[in-house]
Every structure is written in C-alpha cells, then in structure tokens.
Amino acid sequence: MDERLFLGLHAHLPHPTGGSGPSGGVTELRVPARLAEHVAQAAVYREDGIRAPIERVVPDAAVRLVFDLGTRRGAVDVAGPSAVPVLLRLGEATANLTVTLRPGAAGALLGIPASAIRDRCVPLEEIWPDAVEPLADRFAAAPDDPSCWQIVRSVLEDRGARERTVDRRRARRAQRVLAAGGKVRDAAAALGVGERRLQQIFETEVGLSPREYRRLARLSSCLRSLRGQERPRWSRLAADHGFFDQAHLSNEFVAIVGLTPTELLECISGSSKTDR
C-alpha cells in the first residue's frame, strides 16, 4: 500500500529534515514570543488529491492540537505523545491548522498530565468540555486562516500564562541534558533527584519515560544529520550519535520508525511534508 512519511522532529532542533510538501500545501505560521516556550510550530495544511492513503508519523514526544478547517470546521483533536510510529489513514483532501507543542507543555496548556493522552488521539472537548463549543463558533465566523490562528493564539496565550510548576521547570532542564546526549542518571543528578523521581516527573510532564525521550532525541538528531546526504556512512553516523554500532542504529530505526535506515532515507526523498 502506498505510504508517505511525516517527520516530527524535536522542537530544540531548529530545522526540518529532508522531504518536501505539496506545492502551496503547507503554510507555516509565526509563533509569538509569548507562546514560544510552549509551542514549537504552527502550520496550516491544505492538500487535495492525496495519492498516498497512509501517512507514517514518526514519534517525537510532542503533543499536537489539530484544528479542522474543512468539513468538520471547528472540531479539534489532541494527539498525545508516543514512542512508536502512528499510521494514519488519509482521505482525498485535508485542511487543518496543527499546533505542535513542545514536549512537556501539555500540562501548562491543556491542564492535564501528558501521560493521560499517551498513544491516544482524543477530541479536545474531553479535556476542555466547556470551551470547545465557543471556540467552534468563533472558527465558523473567522474569514480566513490567519483569523483562525489569531483565535487559537489568544486561547493558548491565556492558558500559557498560568504559573509554571517546579516539576515543569525540572522536566525542561532534564530534557536539555538528555537531548545533549546525557544519560538518565546525568539528568537526575542535574535536578538533584533520584531516577525514580525523574521517571515520575517525565510521566506527568512529558508523557514518556526519560529513556524513551532520550531515544527519540537521539534518533531526531540522527535524522537531522541525514539532510542532504544521498549515501550516508551508517557506521560513522552511528558513532557520531551515540549508538553502539551500525546494528544498534538500525534496530532503533526499526523500533521507533518502523523502517530500516535505508527504507527511511528512500521515504524522505519522496516525503509529503515534514514538521519541526
């Protein structure tokens, strides 16, 4: 069955990896400074005549809010964090505004532990039962995509202004240690807590374990380095990114992406879109 790839790289990696979107199909939206702490990217996706019925979403620990701009205009789905690839069945057309939250931002913006929506996609009304209907009404009256983004921005900015908890700050600090190649014990030491306590913090704030987050961060760094490489030296790539050897790298690609490194490289060359 025809399949395409959606790469969602960690927010601290500033550039998307390879792949290209449909002409005029992706419009990136400016994230204001007041939201940058919580939101990694916002973009409008509009596409007709979709040829690949399946989209493979590579896990990146992020939570995504998907605002429908098409036939279900105003409906909002929340895709939780995951450590395994997700296969989405696509229709012939899509129109949505997708907001990618930084790992650890779900508590601040959604008011729930990230672990509550791990490996799930739920309607926003399950999380905000009293706020979705007014939001849908505002969407219905919005004349264009920038107006819709302004509505979303105002809602998220209001919720993002809430008090930052100690654990939320700790999770962010631990993420930086792990993304830089540090081990779980290094992250726990940097916070002055034990590994068990770090595990609890991550499950609440990120929705994944510290080890899972570290694996995703390492893979994301590896994917970024593939950009522009037609014939990468896999053994060198493995060494540069902290894998034991080439076999370890290959096993991690299969476990996290569901594809071998070579298969993924082939998909990137014909990818439909990428996301930060």
Side-chain angles (χ1 to χ4, degrees):
M1 182 175 291
D2 291 338
E3 181 181 296
R4 68 186 195 179
L5 193 68
F6 186 95
L7 296 175
L9 301 186
H10 280 87
H12 55 264
L13 301 176
H15 301 292
T17 188
S20 59
S23 178
V26 182
T27 303
E28 189 159 355
L29 304 168
R30 187 183 68 84
V31 176
R34 285 179 294 178
L35 275 181
E37 177 184 357
H38 303 299
V39 175
Q41 185 196 43
V44 170
Y45 296 99
R46 289 188 178 275
E47 187 177 0
D48 295 314
I50 296 175
R51 294 184 297 274
I54 300 295
E55 184 165 79
R56 178 180 296 268
V57 181
V58 177
D60 64 348
V63 172
R64 288 181 171 82
L65 309 180
V66 183
F67 298 80
D68 195 290
L69 300 176
T71 56
R72 297 172 60 235
R73 188 177 182 86
V76 191
D77 292 320
V78 182
S82 179
V84 296
V86 175
L87 299 181
L88 299 179
R89 182 170 294 278
L90 305 175
E92 294 183 358
T94 185
N96 65 67
L97 190 165
T98 297
V99 178
T100 301
L101 305 185
R102 297 185 185 278
L109 295 184
L110 300 180
I112 60 169
S115 57
I117 52 174
R118 174 176 173 153
D119 297 323
R120 300 175 62 205
C121 185
V122 301
L124 183 60
E125 59 195 27
E126 289 190 15
I127 302 170
W128 296 347
D130 299 325
V132 173
E133 186 173 346
L135 185 61
D137 291 341
R138 294 175 66 187
F139 257 66
D144 51 29
D145 294 344
S147 300
C148 289
W149 174 225
Q150 180 60 46
I151 293 169
V152 174
R153 279 177 49 182
S154 66
V155 172
L156 296 182
E157 286 173 0
D158 179 61
R159 299 188 70 88
R162 298 179 177 187
E163 181 180 358
R164 295 163 180 77
T165 67
V166 172
D167 281 352
R168 197 159 298 142
R169 292 194 297 269
R170 285 175 168 175
R172 292 286 174 83
R173 186 177 177 187
Q175 287 173 39
R176 290 193 291 270
V177 174
L178 296 172
K183 299 184 182 301
V184 174
R185 64 173 177 268
D186 300 325
L191 270 58
V193 301
E195 291 188 30
R196 183 174 181 181
R197 177 59 183 142
L198 181 65
Q199 173 90 13
Q200 294 171 338
I201 292 171
F202 257 71
E203 286 183 353
T204 298
E205 301 295 337
V206 181
L208 305 175
S209 73
R211 285 179 173 78
E212 287 173 321
Y213 180 86
R214 183 174 183 269
R215 290 175 67 198
L216 296 185
R218 179 174 58 191
L219 185 79
S220 289
S221 178
C222 185
L223 288 174
R224 182 185 173 190
S225 68
L226 284 175
R227 188 177 189 181
Q229 294 192 45
E230 294 183 1
R231 296 182 179 180
R233 293 176 56 190
W234 296 113
S235 58
R236 176 63 180 272
L237 202 67
D240 288 346
H241 293 277
F243 297 95
F244 297 127
D245 51 28
Q246 185 174 336
H248 181 210
L249 179 147
S250 182
N251 289 339
E252 286 291 89
F253 268 67
V254 172
I256 297 174
V257 184
L259 302 171
T260 66
T262 301
E263 289 171 338
L264 183 134
L265 194 62
E266 292 173 353
C267 283
I268 287 177
S269 64
S271 216
S272 64
K273 57 176 179 270
T274 59
D275 176 40
R276 256 174 241 154

